[in-house]
């Protein structure tokens, strides 16, 4: 979650999950994995700090990396920075008759005006459908070139996660812990508490059980001279069913005071 949540919320989540009995080993890596010596079908993990951990089950979560071996031999351009096959906004690769969708493509996002590679189920489904439509519309049944123009990909994918029965979220757009964030957290009494990147209130306890986070375009993290900011991502924290509201504001510029009004669509 460190790649998704801003530091102030990531720290809060860590403490909450630890209170549920989950133990974190930070600043260390696994050196070796082998059957436990007593032969009781457990697994022993040795860490770089010298600690040995015996477990019943081990879940390996190491992320994914696009396999570009197939296309590299056929001349498909590879995005060396983001990974995956380099495609245009219509998901067409450097080989005109080849289209790429899902995690394997680095595409130009016409809404956000940036190149992206997205690793979400929703993105794979929607981009796959568009790639198929664009392939079918590129030529007629007799093989002649079609007059139908391909459609650019502009869908902003959503994703979700549950960390426990007490912590869950839904998100859409460009969600990155490195981006400036303006968050609103519902409080037991009174208006939502506003927390911004670099301006975390100094208090023994801040209620972050429920709220909405607006991720701001990095270069406009500070309000511009006219007081506007561009929202590039929205994360609903323990608030569900609000993605349609979030989709309506993604990519738009809002004045500082307008974000205070936007939150009313998420926190009742």
């Amino acid at each position: 979650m460190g790649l998704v949540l801003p530091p102030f919320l990531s720290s809060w989540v860590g403490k909450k999950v630890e209170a549920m009995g989950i133990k974190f080993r930070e600043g260390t890596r696994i050196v070796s994995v082998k059957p436990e010596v007593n032969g009781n079908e457990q697994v022993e993990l040795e860490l770089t700090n010298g600690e040995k951990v015996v477990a019943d089950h081990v879940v390996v979560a190491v992320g994914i990396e696009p396999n570009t071996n197939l296309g590299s031999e056929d001349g498909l351009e590879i995005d060396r920075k983001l990974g995956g096959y380099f495609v245009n906004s219509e998901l067409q690769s450097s080989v005109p008759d080849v289209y790429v969708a899902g995690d394997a493509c680095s595409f130009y996002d016409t809404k956000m005006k940036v190149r992206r590679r997205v690793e979400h189920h929703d993105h794979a489904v929607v981009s796959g459908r568009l790639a198929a439509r664009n392939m079918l519309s590129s030529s007629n049944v007799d093989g002649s070139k079609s007059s139908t123009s391909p459609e650019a990909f502009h869908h902003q994918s959503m994703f979700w996660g549950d960390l426990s029965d007490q912590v869950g979220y839904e998100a859409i757009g460009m969600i990155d812990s490195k981006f400036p964030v303006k968050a609103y957290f519902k409080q037991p009494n009174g208006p939502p508490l506003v927390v911004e990147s670099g301006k975390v209130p100094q208090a023994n306890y801040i209620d972050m059980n429920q709220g909405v986070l607006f991720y701001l375009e990095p270069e406009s993290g500070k309000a511009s001279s006219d007081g506007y900011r561009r929202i590039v991502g929205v994360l609903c924290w323990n608030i569900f069913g609000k993605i349609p509201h979030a989709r309506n504001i993604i990519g738009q510029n809002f004045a500082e005071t307008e974000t205070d009004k936007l939150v009313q669509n998420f926190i009742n």
Side-chain angles (χ1 to χ4, degrees), residues 46-214:
E46 182 179 355
L47 309 182
T48 52
N49 62 4
E51 182 182 5
K52 293 183 179 181
V53 179
V54 177
D56 294 324
H57 304 281
V58 176
V59 178
V60 180
V62 295
I64 59 175
E65 182 176 337
N67 185 346
T68 56
N69 294 332
L70 175 66
S72 59
E73 297 178 358
D74 295 322
L76 271 68
E77 184 177 357
I78 308 300
D79 188 326
R80 301 300 177 185
K81 181 179 180 181
L82 299 178
Y85 297 104
F86 196 97
V87 301
N88 59 20
S89 59
E90 291 84 32
L91 307 181
Q92 183 183 41
S93 74
S94 55
V95 177
D97 290 336
V98 178
Y99 289 73
V100 186
D103 300 9
C105 76
S106 164
F107 68 100
Y108 183 74
D109 189 328
T110 57
K111 189 176 185 67
M112 297 301 186
K113 309 300 182 185
V114 295
R115 180 158 290 279
R116 302 174 62 193
R117 191 174 69 80
V118 180
E119 301 174 352
H120 301 311
H121 173 266
D122 180 43
H123 170 73
V125 171
V126 178
S127 64
R129 289 172 178 166
L130 179 63
R133 287 200 301 272
N134 284 346
M135 282 189 286
L136 291 172
S137 66
S138 64
S139 61
N140 297 313
V141 177
D142 60 4
S144 61
K145 186 174 180 59
S146 173
S147 60
T148 304
S149 299
E151 179 185 346
F153 185 79
H154 55 78
H155 177 76
Q156 297 301 307
S157 65
M158 68 86 64
F159 63 99
W160 58 272
D162 290 320
L163 305 183
S164 72
D165 59 351
Q166 302 176 34
V167 179
Y169 66 89
E170 293 180 346
I172 184 173
M174 297 172 64
I175 306 296
D176 192 317
S177 61
K178 297 188 294 294
F179 289 0
V181 170
K182 186 172 185 180
Y184 294 80
F185 293 103
K186 185 175 182 179
Q187 301 300 296
N189 300 296
L193 174 69
V194 181
V195 181
E196 297 185 64
S197 300
K199 299 180 182 179
V200 182
Q202 298 298 315
N204 292 330
Y205 177 76
I206 301 174
D207 189 348
M208 297 186 185
N209 276 299
Q210 192 176 46
V212 59
L213 287 73
F214 297 127

Side-chain angles (χ1 to χ4, degrees), residues 1-2 4-11 176-177 179 181 183 197 213 215:
M1 296 304 297
V4 174
L5 302 180
F8 60 81
L9 185 54
S10 182
S11 176
D176 192 317
S177 61
F179 289 0
V181 170
S197 300
L213 287 73
Y215 288 71

Side-chain angles (χ1 to χ4, degrees), residues 17-32:
V17 174
E18 281 184 324
M20 300 175 187
I22 305 299
K23 295 181 180 180
F24 292 97
R25 267 77 171 183
E26 299 180 0
T28 187
R29 294 185 298 174
I30 296 175
V31 175
S32 65

